[in-house]
Amino acid sequence: MVELQDNRFAIPEYDQLFSKLKGEVHFDQYGVDTRNASGEYRQQPITLQAATDRSKNLITVAMQQHNEPAAFLPESLQFLASYLQGSTDITTRLELPSFGEGNASAPPRLKIHSTSRLQGASIHLPPPLAKAASDSRELQVSVELPFDSSQPWE
């Protein structure tokens, strides 16, 4: 067991940084387990839980945060930031291979699935893209990326 006290975790290959991490984390040769850890992602508070499913060789990390949607725009879409205002609840689930898993025929993947109802965020674009902060609009984003859990993390 490790007690996080203002620690950080980074996946440099994907420019991802979690900071000010606090909470108990249990590690073993297969993965990680934590409940009610907290920290910051993109300078906003998050809570997170993680569990390893040995039968599936999978680590699942669940994160909850309240953030500005513009914080997630890639550099190529930063021009849209001025059209987005407010903040909203965002739930993200990461699925990654447990420690040391993977095979040559199917490279391991990092799966990211985020959802939000966008309530509290307004979009100042022409219809049908416009949205008032009080309105709710379901947003789901799913991405798969190559990921090797045997490589060092920071």
Side-chain angles (χ1 to χ4, degrees):
M1 192 269 302
V2 174
E3 178 74 29
L4 299 177
Q5 298 177 356
D6 204 27
N7 296 85
R8 64 185 287 273
F9 169 76
I11 306 174
E13 184 176 353
Y14 295 112
D15 193 27
Q16 298 299 301
L17 173 65
F18 298 86
S19 60
K20 300 183 181 178
L21 295 171
K22 295 179 178 159
E24 288 185 7
V25 182
H26 301 266
F27 291 95
D28 63 19
Q29 68 268 32
Y30 305 104
V32 61
D33 182 69
T34 187
R35 302 280 180 256
N36 300 318
S38 63
E40 286 189 359
Y41 178 69
R42 300 188 185 254
Q43 290 95 31
Q44 295 296 313
I46 61 167
T47 59
L48 47 97
Q49 299 80 39
T52 302
D53 183 336
R54 290 177 60 186
S55 68
K56 295 180 181 178
N57 295 323
L58 189 70
I59 299 171
T60 301
V61 180
M63 299 183 296
Q64 295 79 36
Q65 62 183 311
H66 191 83
N67 211 329
E68 299 172 2
F72 297 93
L73 291 174
E75 189 175 320
S76 62
L77 296 176
Q78 280 300 311
F79 69 93
L80 292 173
S82 63
Y83 299 101
L84 304 173
Q85 293 180 334
S87 58
T88 188
D89 291 333
I90 302 168
T91 300
T92 302
R93 186 182 72 247
L94 306 175
E95 294 179 358
L96 56 148
S98 55
F99 299 153
E101 291 302 319
N103 62 55
S105 64
R109 310 290 287 171
L110 168 64
K111 296 178 183 179
I112 306 166
H113 183 74
S114 292
T115 60
S116 177
R117 298 195 50 81
L118 294 177
Q119 198 149 18
S122 59
I123 303 172
H124 302 284
L125 289 170
L129 301 174
K131 185 189 115 18
S134 59
D135 293 344
S136 180
R137 186 174 299 163
E138 188 72 27
L139 174 68
Q140 294 185 26
V141 177
S142 294
V143 178
E144 283 193 39
L145 303 167
F147 186 81
D148 186 354
S149 64
S150 68
Q151 295 299 311
W153 300 342
E154 292 182 9

